[in-house]
Amino acid sequence: MNVGIMTWFQYHNYGTALQVVALSRKINNFGHDAYVISYITIVNPIIKSDESLTSQVARTFLQRLKNHFYYEYHESKRELRFDQFLTNNLRFTDRCETLGDFEHLNGSLDAFVCGSDQIWSPPNFNPRYFLDFVYDENRMIAYAPSVGILDVSNENIRRRISENISRFKYISTREKAGSDLLSELTGQMIETVLDPTLLLTQDEWHAYESDYDTGSKSYLLAYMLGKREEYWKTVKKIAGYLKLELRIIPCHEKDIKRKGCIKEPIGPADFLKLICNADYICTDSFHGTLFSINYNKPFTVFERFRKNDSLNQNSRIYNILEMLGLEERLYQNKQDNYKTRIDYNGANQKLENARNHSLSFLGKSLASVQSYSEQVHLPGNLFFDNKLCCGCGACEVSCPTDAIHIALDTDGFYTASVNHEKCISCGKCGQVCPYLNIGDIPKIEEGNLFSYKDKEDIVLMHSSSGGAAFKMAAILLNKNYSIAGCTYNKNEHVAQHIVVTPDTKDKLTLLQGSKYIQSKFYDCMRLMKNFKEPIAVFGTPCQIAGVKNIIGKRNDVLLIDLICHGVPSYGSYEKYLQYLSASKGLKIGNDFETIFRFKPSGWRDRYIYSGNSENHIVQHQSKDPYFLMFEHGFCYSKGCYECPWRNKSAADIRLGDYWGDKFISDTTGVSMVCALTEKGWDFVSQIEGMTFENIRDYTTCQQMTNFARPVFWEELVSELNSGSRALEDILEEYVIPFEKRRMFGRVYSKVVKRLRRK
């Protein structure tokens, strides 16, 4: 059985590296094939509900300043030794970045194990580590993930954790405190098991040790992750009393200057060797403590976190010491525990019992999943677990039984749903989905960049940037191409795609300008499937990818996507219209329109126009509630947070604003044009006014990676779509605190720049 392990591995921390190797080893020992899911984590933003914004900002500011002068230690040869250790001892899946990548794993892996380390830590909540991408809950196992802290004060986090844990059939955590906390949240009985590093015996770990030469002198090994300087006096005192040479594994740049610091690069295998040969160990590390115990070394463990720290993670150390009867090894003020010998006989017996219990839990869970997976097969359609959809309609037009339908969902987004009675599990929908079929697609950094600014003022004033899209469309219409693009429908107050033909070219102006709402695209997709004439299609990257999957390669089709940060819920736009009516006195009739980028008022400073020629308002981006909501990106479609097209494109050309310093003094707009295919290059390079630029202007100024979906997304979207509260009140709760934090960040950056000058 192929088993995927979802855990941290990328942090070059000894405990992190060794726990994933240990878990992989034991899964393999049970007769399975373990694969570590290759994922570099994203951390979610959180506002603590029990702390005022003022105190939070002050605490964050002081912590950042402290970190500024207390860098973590990194050295290239050390990093290489970590990478080599992981490569030599683990098998990895293909790299996973978006939810679509993860969902592919359902077809190649039979079971999924999340754990260990603090992957369930509330301050770093990430649903990937709760296996949210696994279709079948019966294939999910939680082995020893750690919560780390004793309480979850943020209600959104509590809710998300509870919802995710409720999907598990086989669940355990690493500490009793964590099991108790999660049992309280979920009402489930949760097992407590050992950290994976303790599943291997001392003899088993010897096989992973390097041949690092620790020398002939007896030594005290210090491995301190914290920043509490007062502990270093005690470490030196212990070394002096025991007449041992002090050796320090550096964790911070400041450690390099300490007497006794090991200057050579230390990888995980060297770490094991140093533990093995040490005569005494001082540590504030959880895994430093575990390996001291497993190797039966005399040791003193310090409390890394102060008791009043809201992110105190000391409970995991308390737990293991209490479990094994080694509580006296915890250093407390003026406690001379280093003078006391450790009788490991009792501790070793307790450890062996706990090891057998933990291995039994892991082995039985894997065996149950194997028995289940041999009997059950998943449905063969895209919507067995429908998490990502941009509403492009590619699945709808490819379905041979008309089982798929696109419509606005309860969250306010155009998405697909399936009639399972009509579905024949042919899988064609999955073959055209833009989230699941990336293929060999050009990366942005491989493209050729141009800048463009139209010479006609009327074009510039009605375009969001430099008028490149309008210019291209006009040229193509004259070449007998039709143009598919987005317009604002004043009657329905929605964005939708229409087709402008050479015979109706006077309608081209309807396509000008940005529409910061999701376009009703699926009607256009139906047209694309059978459209035989030359056509250029403008749309978001996901829409264009869907078109490409439907039409295949055609020389007379030009695909042009737009730089996109995300599409907000229609609920947010409906709330905005209510706000304009109630607060600004605007009449929302069939002559009403929103111009999301009102160029006459500015380009870099963005303005939004709402109303008609007789009664309208224009608001700056910092004052307009819709723009603030859009800029912070808290109510985008779920798929926007998992977009596979940030750094690549299925289009021939990508268009957007030319941000950055190059045109910082420009006030009327410049287009950024990226030619990604030979077809795109041939077309763009022939347009008068295109200026060749450095592609780094794109990669350094545009969004190249996804940001995490906020933990309060469900609550916010629900309020926008069905709640009775006004938009201003919703904004005050969900957005304004982050806007203040962003302003604080700017102040902080200025302070740091000044400090660096000094």
Side-chain angles (χ1 to χ4, degrees), residues 161-172:
I161 289 177
S162 179
E163 290 169 354
N164 279 278
I165 289 176
S166 67
R167 299 180 67 228
F168 283 88
K169 186 175 181 180
Y170 314 99
I171 182 168
S172 65

Side-chain angles (χ1 to χ4, degrees), residues 1-4 24 27-28 30-35 91 109:
M1 184 168 67
N2 292 332
V3 180
S24 177
I27 290 173
N28 289 333
F30 280 116
H32 307 294
D33 295 316
Y35 294 86
R91 286 179 293 187
L109 298 175

Side-chain angles (χ1 to χ4, degrees), residues 518-572:
Q518 185 185 20
S519 172
K520 190 176 177 182
F521 190 82
Y522 51 92
D523 288 332
C524 182
M525 185 67 81
R526 293 190 192 105
L527 182 66
M528 289 300 100
K529 185 176 182 181
N530 299 307
F531 201 84
K532 304 301 182 184
E533 304 301 319
I535 190 168
V537 187
F538 292 75
T540 59
C542 51
Q543 291 169 343
I544 295 302
V547 171
K548 188 171 185 177
N549 289 340
I550 289 297
I551 66 172
K553 295 182 179 180
R554 279 179 53 184
N555 291 330
D556 60 348
V557 174
L558 192 68
L559 300 179
I560 303 166
D561 68 14
L562 310 170
I563 297 172
C564 175
H565 297 288
V567 292
S569 162
Y570 264 98
S572 65

Side-chain angles (χ1 to χ4, degrees), residues 83-191:
D83 290 337
Q84 290 174 336
F85 181 80
L86 295 174
T87 300
N88 291 340
N89 293 291
L90 298 171
R91 286 179 293 187
F92 290 90
T93 66
D94 291 337
R95 180 71 174 270
C96 292
E97 296 180 355
T98 68
L99 185 56
D101 299 330
F102 282 95
E103 289 182 330
H104 268 303
L105 298 175
N106 286 279
S108 59
L109 298 175
D110 305 296
F112 298 83
V113 179
C114 62
S116 171
D117 229 327
Q118 295 182 64
I119 59 171
W120 284 5
S121 168
N124 296 322
F125 173 78
N126 185 329
R128 288 304 97 85
Y129 293 106
F130 291 84
L131 303 181
D132 71 327
F133 56 91
V134 178
Y135 291 165
D136 192 339
E137 299 172 3
N138 293 289
R139 302 173 191 268
M140 295 163 48
I141 301 169
Y143 182 83
S146 175
V147 177
I149 58 179
L150 296 176
D151 186 33
V152 187
S153 58
N154 186 290
E155 285 302 320
N156 293 306
I157 299 292
R158 289 175 68 91
R159 193 175 296 111
R160 296 291 90 77
I161 289 177
S162 179
E163 290 169 354
N164 279 278
I165 289 176
S166 67
R167 299 180 67 228
F168 283 88
K169 186 175 181 180
Y170 314 99
I171 182 168
S172 65
T173 72
R174 194 175 66 181
E175 293 96 32
K176 186 178 185 300
S179 295
D180 292 344
L181 174 61
L182 297 183
S183 291
E184 176 192 341
L185 286 179
T186 64
Q188 295 177 250
M189 290 297 296
I190 296 175
E191 294 268 7

